[in-house]
Amino acid sequence: MASLTVAKAGSEPKTPCQKSGVKAFTDSNDTIDIEHVPVNDDPRQWSRTRKTITLCIISLAAMVSALASNIQNPSNFLIEEDLHATSSQISWTLAAFQLIQGNFPLLWSAASEIKGRKPVYLVASAIFVVGNAALALSKTIEVMIGMRALQAAGSCAVMAISAATLADIYEPHERGTMMGIFYAAPLLGPALGPILGGSLSQAFSWRASFYFLLICGGIIFLSFLILFKDTYRRERSLTYRSALQRLHTSREPVQSSSKSTITGHESNKDQTSVKDTEKQLQLNVSDDNSVVTSTLGLDDVRLSINDINPFPPYFQILSRKNNVLILTANGLVFGFTYCLSYTCARTLANTYGYNAFSVGLVLLCLGVGSIAGSVIGGRWSDRVLAKMMEANGGKWYAEMRLESSTLGMLWLPLAVIGYAWVCEKHVNVAVICILLVLIGFSSIWMYTSTLAYLVDANPGRSCTAVATNSSFRGSLAFISVMIAVPLQNALGDGGLYTVWACILVVTELLVILVLRKGESWRREGEERELKY
């Protein structure tokens, strides 16, 4: 049977963890850093090669997942003709994908905190393969809409738990760089989607795009099956911690009546309830360096419906003001970029007379800028964090991460306004390309830091935080796509993106507000949670 051991502040680990047991050590407030609970085969101690393999697999899966979102765009008119569909039905194939891809991750994240990362990746990859096979063979538009939803449900798992996987294997001071490298992959997908979709459709048929995704899905499934090693550890999961806390509280009075547990103190000291669910278990201990040992461990835990319900953790993320503001900011940035790629394609086709392949080449500029912003911005984020920690005596808090995002904020609204009126006045397409690079670079520069902040600010809940972020992104992208064309027709590119520039200024103010007030808000949230 696994055991849980809690030691007095200042204690040092003396032996490695045994089996699925936990040895956790408290700080001066008798709380435990859940991210650094000792575990067997600690993923953060893996070799650089093993970590790189893990990073490459989830990056490839994320790229294909993002590729699936818009690879059909160049083929829409072919699908409409072949399946005798209306424009509204074609729009639903796009909207259904975004809505499901944004909100289904809540279920995947809950499952990954119970069964581990690898089983979720495998099941989701299999669903993705089935969805693409059905899409390639679709005979009616109704089937296609349904299968696009199924495809989205399978593809979104990697986006939901990839950040949690990176949090499993990298320390906080490394995450900015690694998330920047990782996030370049899903940014490359949308950039290449129109080019690949247009090329495959012209060379074969619209079904070729889904056969291509089918092959990619099979490769990803085999990669997860053969090469991927699970990074999940129950000892570092708040889901299991909460269940163990409940089990310990319910059994402790029975145990304390039959035996003495703390040397030199009365047995009622053992009956203190555990309240700190954010950082794990919290027990009153003796004034000396004695160790409290409970025979109850994770092997004794049996999860209930409440433990696997994804919505309480979702609402707990939303109960903190700092999370809500960052989630809103991230959702607006993503909604903007999705609207930009959609309406830019229409402008290039209708105003400049470009075909699908040429449109894809221009949109590649947005992808190139985004990739550069992700990689460089991620490294800059870690560099700024290191300097601020050094100035703060080696101590850090999550809001330090947001300081690096301010550099990108200076350029984003200006670049968007420039793009708005360049398109409005039908300036040479080379100028559009330059502005798309700048927009992609500055928007993702900011997004990389804010995404890393969500992980840092929600220890033990990183998977739920990223899934909630995905829900905000998908919902706002759905709205932005549904209103993009009517607004573009009514306001033109100049009016539409001037409005977006103003929205992005507000978005940046939200991030700055969290930078200044987020630490106190987080503490308020922790104190509030301790009362319940």
Side-chain angles (χ1 to χ4, degrees):
M1 181 180 294
S3 64
L4 174 70
T5 306
V6 181
K8 176 75 174 173
S11 301
E12 296 294 334
K14 300 193 189 290
T15 59
C17 291
Q18 301 297 324
K19 297 181 181 179
S20 61
V22 181
K23 182 178 289 183
F25 300 91
T26 62
D27 60 17
S28 58
N29 295 321
D30 297 331
T31 59
I32 296 172
D33 180 3
I34 192 171
E35 289 203 8
H36 294 91
V37 172
V39 294
N40 281 333
D41 190 23
D42 190 343
R44 294 182 185 171
Q45 302 301 320
W46 285 353
S47 67
R48 183 180 296 272
T49 300
R50 170 58 63 184
K51 290 183 178 181
T52 301
I53 290 174
T54 302
L55 177 62
C56 289
I57 292 174
I58 63 172
S59 296
L60 175 63
M63 184 182 72
V64 174
S65 174
L67 184 68
S69 68
N70 67 349
I71 195 173
Q72 83 164 53
N73 286 348
S75 311
N76 283 337
F77 73 96
L78 296 175
I79 297 172
E80 185 175 344
E81 180 180 331
D82 187 39
L83 299 184
H84 307 290
T86 65
S87 298
S88 176
Q89 289 173 320
I90 293 296
S91 296
W92 269 107
T93 65
L94 304 176
F97 185 95
Q98 282 299 322
L99 196 60
I100 297 298
Q101 191 182 54
N103 291 282
F104 207 83
L106 291 171
L107 301 179
W108 290 130
S109 65
S112 75
E113 291 294 337
I114 299 167
K115 295 299 184 181
R117 318 295 187 216
K118 184 170 182 174
V120 171
Y121 283 136
L122 288 173
V123 172
S125 298
I127 292 175
F128 183 68
V129 168
V130 172
N132 283 303
L135 281 166
L137 300 173
S138 295
K139 301 298 184 182
T140 66
I141 191 62
E142 291 79 12
V143 170
M144 188 172 183
I145 293 173
M147 291 304 101
R148 279 287 278 176
L150 183 65
Q151 181 195 44
S155 70
C156 68
V158 66
M159 301 304 296
I161 63 178
S162 55
T165 301
L166 295 180
D168 292 339
I169 64 178
Y170 292 112
E171 294 288 353
H173 68 273
E174 302 174 292
R175 289 177 190 161
T177 298
M178 295 307 165
M179 284 192 178
I181 294 173
F182 160 77
Y183 201 68
L187 293 173
L188 184 61
L192 295 179
I195 297 176
L196 286 173
S199 300
L200 290 170
S201 296
Q202 290 179 10
F204 303 100
S205 73
W206 64 267
R207 300 178 189 274
S209 298
F210 299 110
Y211 281 120
F212 174 78
L213 292 175
L214 171 63
I215 295 171
C216 290
I219 294 173
I220 291 169
F221 178 84
L222 292 176
S223 297
F224 279 124
L225 180 65
I226 299 171
L227 300 177
F228 184 81
K229 187 175 183 180
D230 205 339
T231 63
Y232 173 77
R233 298 294 180 268
R234 291 186 302 173
E235 296 87 348
R236 293 175 177 171
S237 168
L238 279 176
T239 300
Y240 273 95
R241 287 298 157 200
S242 298
L244 181 59
Q245 170 192 332
R246 184 176 63 251
L247 182 63
H248 177 88
T249 303
S250 65
R251 293 192 183 184
E252 190 178 46
V254 177
Q255 293 178 345
S256 62
S257 65
S258 61
K259 61 172 74 175
S260 176
T261 57
I262 302 181
T263 304
H265 288 264
E266 299 297 331
S267 62
N268 60 7
K269 297 263 182 157
D270 289 338
Q271 299 176 20
T272 302
S273 63
V274 183
K275 293 183 178 180
D276 188 3
T277 58
E278 178 69 24
K279 291 190 178 290
Q280 198 176 335
L281 295 177
Q282 177 175 313
L283 299 175
N284 287 343
V285 293
S286 61
D287 293 333
D288 57 21
N289 290 328
S290 61
V291 175
V292 181
T293 302
S294 168
T295 58
L296 298 176
L298 296 181
D299 290 342
D300 301 292
V301 171
R302 295 295 180 268
L303 298 179
S304 67
I305 295 296
N306 289 334
D307 294 314
I308 62 177
N309 184 352
F311 294 104
Y314 174 83
F315 290 117
Q316 197 161 25
I317 293 292
L318 296 181
S319 69
R320 296 187 179 183
K321 289 183 284 187
N322 60 305
N323 286 340
V324 172
L325 294 187
I326 292 298
L327 288 165
T328 302
N330 285 351
L332 288 172
V333 170
F334 185 79
F336 158 72
T337 55
Y338 202 78
C339 176
L340 176 64
S341 61
Y342 182 40
T343 56
C344 182
R346 295 183 78 245
T347 298
L348 293 171
N350 298 333
T351 303
Y352 289 82
Y354 282 14
N355 60 29
F357 183 76
S358 299
V359 169
L361 286 177
V362 175
L363 289 178
L364 183 61
C365 296
L366 180 64
V368 169
S370 299
I371 292 168
S374 180
V375 175
I376 300 173
R379 294 183 65 87
W380 178 257
S381 176
D382 282 344
R383 182 179 178 181
V384 171
L385 179 61
K387 287 186 176 181
M388 295 188 68
M389 288 177 61
E390 183 179 357
N392 199 36
K395 298 179 181 179
W396 82 290
Y397 52 91
E399 285 69 29
M400 288 181 176
R401 178 76 67 184
L402 297 177
E403 190 71 40
S404 61
S405 67
T406 56
L407 187 59
M409 293 180 185
L410 298 173
W411 305 102
L412 181 56
L414 296 176
V416 174
I417 290 177
Y419 169 83
W421 295 101
V422 163
C423 289
E424 184 73 17
K425 300 301 181 181
H426 305 162
V427 178
N428 189 284
V429 74
V431 182
I432 294 179
C433 292
I434 293 172
L435 289 171
L436 286 175
V437 170
L438 186 56
I439 289 172
F441 184 87
S442 54
S443 63
I444 301 304
W445 179 290
M446 183 173 68
Y447 185 85
T448 299
S449 294
T450 53
L451 181 62
Y453 169 77
L454 276 178
V455 174
D456 293 341
N458 295 277
R461 294 195 182 102
S462 58
C463 194
T464 303
V466 175
T468 306
N469 184 68
S470 179
S471 177
F472 271 65
R473 288 191 346 162
S475 299
L476 288 172
F478 173 81
I479 294 171
S480 70
V481 168
M482 297 302 292
I483 66 175
V485 174
L487 288 178
Q488 188 181 32
N489 292 337
L491 303 176
D493 286 317
L496 173 62
Y497 285 100
T498 298
V499 172
W500 266 117
C502 295
I503 293 174
L504 290 173
V505 169
V506 174
T507 297
E508 294 174 350
L509 292 176
L510 295 180
V511 176
I512 293 174
L513 185 59
V514 175
L515 174 62
R516 303 304 178 206
K517 303 286 291 183
E519 185 179 10
S520 62
W521 287 342
R522 281 192 299 107
R523 289 177 179 175
E524 289 174 6
E526 290 172 3
E527 292 173 359
R528 183 173 59 251
E529 290 170 10
L530 287 175
K531 296 178 182 178
Y532 300 98

